Amino acid sequence: MYQPSNSPVHLSPVRVLLIDDHPLVRAGYRYLLHCTRRLQVAAEASSAAAGYRRYLEGAIDVVVLDLSLPGAGGLEVLRRIRHRDEARKSKVLIVSMHDEPAMIERALALGANGYLCKRSNPEMLVEAVNAVARGETFIDPAYAKAMKPAAEAQSQVGLKSLNEREFEIFRQLAEGRSVDLIASSLSLSAKTVANYGTAIRSKLRLENRAAMARMAMAAGIVSPA
C-alpha cells in the first residue's frame, strides 16, 4: 500500500549548456532557468568552437544552442554533438531568430530535439528545456503552425499506409514516449517496438523521430507542445 513520504522528492538536476554569442541573451536565459530549481546552467560559450569544447568537458543534459554563431555556426555544433553522442543522451534545443521552414527542417533532421523562437514568451524557454530533458520533441507553436500547411497533405496520404498497430506505435513515438514505455503499454518486447519504428520510418520515408513528430503534428495527431 502506498504511503506518502514526509521527505521531499529530490530529482536529479538538469545540467544545461548555453551557447549564444550575446552575453545579455545568455544572462536572460540563465536568470529564467535558475528560477527553476531543477535546471542548472553548468556552462556557457559564445562561439561554435567554444561551445563544442564546453560540451566535451562535462556531463551535459541539455544544450541550448543558437544557430548564428561565430565560426562554424550552430548547425555544425549540432552535427558534431550528434556524431559524438550517437545514443542521443544529450538533448539539443535550438533557440533562434531564424524562422524559415527549411532551416527548421534542417536542424531537426540533424538531430535537434526542439526548436524555439527568440521572439517567444520568455517562460517558454523553461517549458522547452524541461520537455526536451524528458525526451520529448518541442516545436515552438508559431513555427509548427507555419510549417503545417505545407506538410499536411503529404502527411495524411503517408499515414494511410500504416496498419492499426503501426499507427499506434507511430503515434506514441511521435509523442516522445520511450521504446520501453511503448512496449509495456502494448505488451510487446522493446525489440519488437524498435523494429516497428524502423519499418514505419522506412515506409513513411522519415529519417528520425523528429521527422515523425513533425508529420504527426502536421496531421493533427499530436499537439506541438
Side-chain angles (χ1 to χ4, degrees):
M1 178 178 177
Y2 171 76
Q3 292 183 343
S5 171
N6 293 326
S7 301
V9 176
H10 296 287
L11 298 175
S12 299
V14 174
R15 292 170 56 83
V16 180
L17 166 61
L18 304 178
I19 308 179
D20 193 293
D21 60 331
H22 293 95
L24 285 176
V25 171
R26 296 199 309 275
Y29 291 169
R30 193 186 318 119
Y31 173 79
L32 287 168
L33 297 178
H34 279 173
C35 289
T36 304
R37 292 182 179 180
R38 192 181 174 216
L39 303 180
Q40 298 181 358
V41 176
E44 300 181 28
S46 59
S47 69
Y52 186 62
R53 285 198 303 270
R54 295 290 186 275
Y55 165 77
L56 295 177
E57 287 172 359
I60 298 298
D61 300 305
V62 177
V63 179
V64 175
L65 176 64
D66 189 15
L67 293 182
S68 301
L69 294 170
L75 287 179
E76 179 60 17
V77 176
L78 173 59
R79 188 194 68 78
R80 292 178 184 178
I81 289 174
R82 284 294 167 251
H83 180 73
R84 176 89 177 188
D85 180 18
E86 294 183 356
R88 302 196 175 198
K89 293 181 179 179
S90 295
K91 311 303 179 184
V92 180
L93 172 67
I94 303 296
V95 184
S96 174
M97 291 297 294
H98 292 285
D99 59 359
E100 304 87 354
M103 183 67 80
I104 301 170
E105 292 280 349
R106 181 63 176 166
L108 295 174
L110 285 173
N113 301 92
Y115 206 107
L116 185 64
C117 177
K118 283 188 174 181
R119 293 186 292 270
S120 296
N121 190 309
E123 286 72 20
M124 193 176 290
L125 175 68
V126 174
E127 181 183 351
V129 171
N130 276 316
V132 298
R134 293 191 300 265
E136 301 171 9
T137 300
F138 187 100
I139 309 296
D140 191 306
Y143 287 155
K145 183 178 180 180
M147 295 166 68
K148 183 175 180 178
E152 186 172 15
Q154 179 183 354
S155 300
Q156 294 289 359
V157 171
L159 291 175
K160 288 181 180 179
S161 68
L162 302 181
N163 61 39
E164 185 176 349
R165 176 53 58 86
E166 289 172 336
F167 183 84
E168 178 58 22
I169 292 176
F170 167 83
R171 183 187 66 78
Q172 294 198 41
L173 287 171
E175 288 180 341
R177 304 186 77 188
S178 70
V179 168
D180 289 338
L181 192 58
I182 297 171
S184 177
S185 70
L186 298 178
S187 299
L188 298 172
S189 70
K191 182 178 180 181
T192 297
V193 173
N195 288 339
Y196 264 111
T198 300
I200 291 167
R201 288 194 297 273
S202 177
K203 182 179 287 190
L204 299 178
R205 297 181 180 180
L206 301 175
E207 295 183 1
N208 49 42
R209 275 206 186 197
M212 295 174 76
R214 295 197 302 277
M215 177 175 278
M217 286 187 287
I221 296 170
V222 300
S223 58

